[in-house]
Amino acid sequence: MESSRPAFVSVPQAPAEGASARPALATERLPFTIRRVETEDSLRKAVRIRHAAYARHLPEFAQTLALPEACDYEDDVVVLLAESRLDGTPLGSVRIQTNLHRALHVEESVELPSWLQGKRLAEVTRLGIDEGRIGRVVKIALIKACFEYCEQNGIDYAVVTGRSPIDRQYAQLLFVDVFEDGAMVPLRHVGNIPHRVMAFEIATGEARWSAARHPMLGFFKHTRHPDIDIGARKVPAVVQRPAPSAAAMPVASTAHFAMA
């Protein structure tokens, strides 16, 4: 993302009586909304954006995304849609699948390491945005919505897959490699295209962003965006299986953030 952010309206919020000393959040309005898809019409909008985004870079695979996928209707899946506040034009979409009822789609192709076994996981897929300057802001806001969904629903780790060079954007957000040396592996649910598999520990996210003085910390954690509304909690806690002993989770790079 470019270093300068659009001049959205920010209104400081007074702390509630008896609140901690943590600085009050500012409220920032966005020129678009992000909501959970609840109707077939909204899903079609999300699919249209998804298809167009993939068609720009992966035209052959995009042909398989012209219609809603069976996964879009599953109980443990949420599709988020960004729409213009001005005219309702769809601007971006993303899908979140939890491992509440079944394994993640990425697990069709790889076995996740021991430090992710027995954890509450959410896989973020099908991120697509409209072209143009506003699209970059939409992408960051959709990512924030995914983090908020994970926090709200007790998710331990968010899991993503990224082809080159998209994988570097996730590294800049402090996702870490699931496999050694950032290995690229072909994934069945993405047309067997090689992707880097990465994970983000939700509980320590703010602390790690703060330690890294991450440029998106303010947007993600210190600003309230009422136009991002993912709805009520949906995912109950996953029954924990005893996790095998594991080595320490890898440490993420603190590279400067520059979302393309």
Side-chain angles (χ1 to χ4, degrees), residues 49-192:
I49 283 289
R50 177 192 301 171
H51 176 262
Y54 275 82
R56 291 194 293 271
H57 305 287
L58 301 170
E60 292 187 8
F61 178 63
Q63 294 177 13
T64 68
L65 303 179
L67 297 174
E69 300 173 89
C71 177
D72 293 322
Y73 298 99
E74 292 175 356
D75 290 340
D76 54 352
V77 167
V78 168
V79 178
L80 301 179
L81 175 66
E83 296 178 283
S84 168
R85 289 174 58 196
L86 178 64
D87 58 10
T89 301
L91 300 173
S93 179
V94 69
R95 187 169 70 201
I96 308 170
Q97 180 216 353
T98 72
N99 65 343
L100 174 62
H101 300 302
R102 59 185 62 82
L104 301 179
H105 288 294
V106 68
E107 294 181 88
E108 298 171 8
S109 304
V110 300
E111 181 179 355
L112 296 177
S114 57
W115 54 273
L116 288 177
Q117 297 295 328
K119 302 297 184 181
R120 295 183 296 268
L121 307 178
E123 183 178 2
V124 178
T125 62
R126 301 298 191 254
L127 174 61
I129 58 170
D130 193 20
E131 293 186 287
R133 180 181 176 85
I134 189 64
R136 299 181 178 183
V137 183
V138 171
K139 178 185 287 188
I140 292 301
L142 283 168
I143 290 173
K144 173 174 179 171
C146 290
F147 283 134
E148 289 188 351
Y149 181 88
C150 289
E151 291 177 342
Q152 179 176 299
N153 290 283
I155 298 299
D156 297 314
Y157 289 90
V159 178
V160 298
T161 61
R163 67 186 188 280
S164 180
I166 302 300
D167 58 324
R168 293 198 294 270
Q169 299 174 5
Y170 292 119
Q172 290 159 1
L173 284 170
L174 306 190
F175 280 78
V176 299
D177 285 300
V178 167
F179 303 111
E180 293 183 3
D181 303 322
M184 305 289 282
V185 294
L187 300 177
R188 291 178 56 190
H189 67 301
V190 202
N192 288 317

Side-chain angles (χ1 to χ4, degrees), residues 20-47:
S20 66
R22 180 173 179 172
L25 300 182
T27 294
E28 185 172 74
R29 298 308 304 265
L30 300 169
F32 52 86
T33 61
I34 294 177
R35 300 286 187 269
R36 183 183 302 190
V37 163
E38 300 283 4
T39 67
E40 191 68 22
D41 181 63
S42 293
L43 179 57
R44 294 284 176 172
K45 288 183 177 182
V47 169

